[in-house]
Amino acid sequence: MDKTITTGKFKDRPPLQDSNGSVVPAKSGCRNCSKLKIFLGALAFSFFAKGLSGSYMKSMSSQIERRFEISSSIVGIIDGSFELGNLMVMILVSYLGPRVHRPKVIAVGCLIMSLGAFLSVMPQFLMGRYNYERIAVTVDNSSTSVSACSPASSVGHPVSDTTETPNTMKNPGCEKTSNSYLWLFVLMGNLLRGIGEAPVMPLGVSYIDDFSKEENSAFYIGLVRSSGMFGPTLGFLLGSFCASLWVDIGIADIDAISINPKDTRWVGAWWLGLLICGAVNFIASLPFWFLPYSLLKEGEEQNLKISHLPVQDHCKIDPSVQPQLKFSEAVKDFLPTLKKLFGNSVFLVYVFLTILQYNSLVGLITYETKFMEQQFNVSVARAIFLVGVILLPITILGMFLGGYLIKKFKLDITGITKFACISFIVAYLLNLLYFTCSCEVLQLAGLTVPYSGLKQLSSPKNSFMASCNADCSCEVDQWDPVCGDNGITYMTACFAGCTSSTGTGKNMVFHNCSCVEAQGHGLGNSAVLGQCQRESCTKAFPYFLALQTACAFILALGGTPTYMIMFRSVSPDLKSFAVGIETLGGRVLGGLPAPIYFGALIDETCLKWGTKSCGGSGSCRVYDTKAFRNVYLGLIAGLRAGCSLLYIVLFVLIMRRFKPDDKEMTDIKNAERPTSKEPATVNKKEILPGAQTSEESEETYM
């Protein structure tokens, strides 16, 4: 921009005055405003708000799966709808970014995110109470003992949490309610969140980079992104709290519920946190309405000549002098601009790298709590809590430290790339150690072990019945697991051959279990509600958590340097567009398909599907933990192997292009400088106040 601004446009405007009526120097007024600092704070809070909503939705994926009785692949579609929302507007927002009022567009985005969160809550108020799958039992005349193994229990219909009697008649409207598609409200709400979040990253980051000093840009961006990471941390903590509460809190008798948060049928109050997320996103939109279209370049206010601006408040720009957007010109320039951007080989490799990183990261985060629950016998609430209090703070520290090291050592693009490449490869090698965290498969009679309890089944199909429960008339589609004294889990007390019980609710104990007695070898013949614990899995969990923490820190350490590669490898006028294209590619080809194919492959490892209250397949109750581990960790390792290769390619390209004291590159710059008059004229017309305009900067970045 021109360093000297004439007064002709502002000669009719009154001078800036204080409360006493005296003229205040423009320089002092700017210092008092600190608009850039206000924008940094507002953007950090918007990052916090979107991180809060995003991480909360990720943490509630298993709760949503169980509440709506859907498969993991459907949950992946719901999760991917967020990326679809980004796809719908990302290119437009990022391309038009420098030509629109960026703070106000971000404000609108925050309001749309708020609306999406509130829309996702609607099914909770439209659906009935949650009735989890449960075996039907009969009450003896004494009313103190119930029988699971009896012909009367063969009705096969699960009962609700408020009754112990079998439901012998179907409700005429039951099938319709059971097969409803109310989860589409959650999908549409997630879609709106994606639309609303689209402008926050590209417009916010480009706004900072345009109006801050070059040496401060990386630090500011790292500070904003690391501050925003407190949102995911709090989101996971909020998710942990809500997951520990019963879904129908306030209207259900908690004492009558016979399952606990470790049970795969447990559904937490998934909707409660969404109300909080919607309110926080609404608050985040407020400051942006009061921020200006553009600012002075940081540090330039000290160089302004006050005599040239005796009456101007530099913190505010009259809307009449803002550049007017001509849509026809913007569309006409779109394809040439896109061609120019993708003609940059460094940026092209960076986009491919981003796509693979998105795939691995989104797949990992979406199903992390499910993996921890199935592998290590921890409740979803505890898994979410550990992610929130351990992994995310470590990630925040790594991101902040990465940005600080760039500023501290004043790393150029080659140093930044070397730093990012080494940190990722080290993290990848540590990632391979995940496979050593082995865990035994749950011993489930009729599914993973035969009723004799001696060897693993070669084919679990048609092995549910045995001589010990042949007279019980058990239904194979029921799931209400019990743990026998012999350490083997049975799908229901009926399959364990139990004929009596004591206690009620969570404290119910089944006795005279013929299948348990046959395998018990004198250990007993009773069973308690819930799956049996796997001690080896519990012992391996701290090791897994420590390894995951180390990987998260090293990956985050190289996160900010990796992000800065893009800014240092494209020309200044293309930075906003580059952010949009990079984010779009990552979300469309990474964030959108990853949860779907991760979920579909995880579904293939399911051993027992639940049954809806009126029939039909529900969510998965138990997985083959070994197959689950190989699929989940194998996908992540494969994707990150590709990332490691692209990091090396990126490093080689940058070392060739940005060699220090490269005599050939200097000659090219000097040769191109006299012939770049026409492009310089075009750029001068489109450039924003405060943006870089030097020809040397343009040539260096390209």
Side-chain angles (χ1 to χ4, degrees), residues 485-546:
D485 289 336
N486 54 1
I488 294 178
T489 301
Y490 299 86
M491 288 193 297
T492 65
C494 180
F495 282 101
C498 304
T499 57
S500 64
S501 69
T502 57
T504 58
K506 299 182 181 70
N507 300 318
M508 184 179 292
V509 178
F510 294 90
H511 303 286
N512 301 322
C513 304
S514 56
C515 294
V516 177
E517 184 178 16
Q519 305 167 16
H521 305 291
L523 296 177
N525 62 358
S526 62
V528 296
L529 288 172
Q531 300 178 21
C532 296
Q533 297 296 311
R534 290 167 290 164
E535 295 299 329
S536 63
C537 302
T538 305
K539 293 177 181 178
F541 184 61
Y543 168 72
F544 171 81
L545 200 60

Side-chain angles (χ1 to χ4, degrees), residues 96 159 320:
L96 302 182
V159 298
S320 63

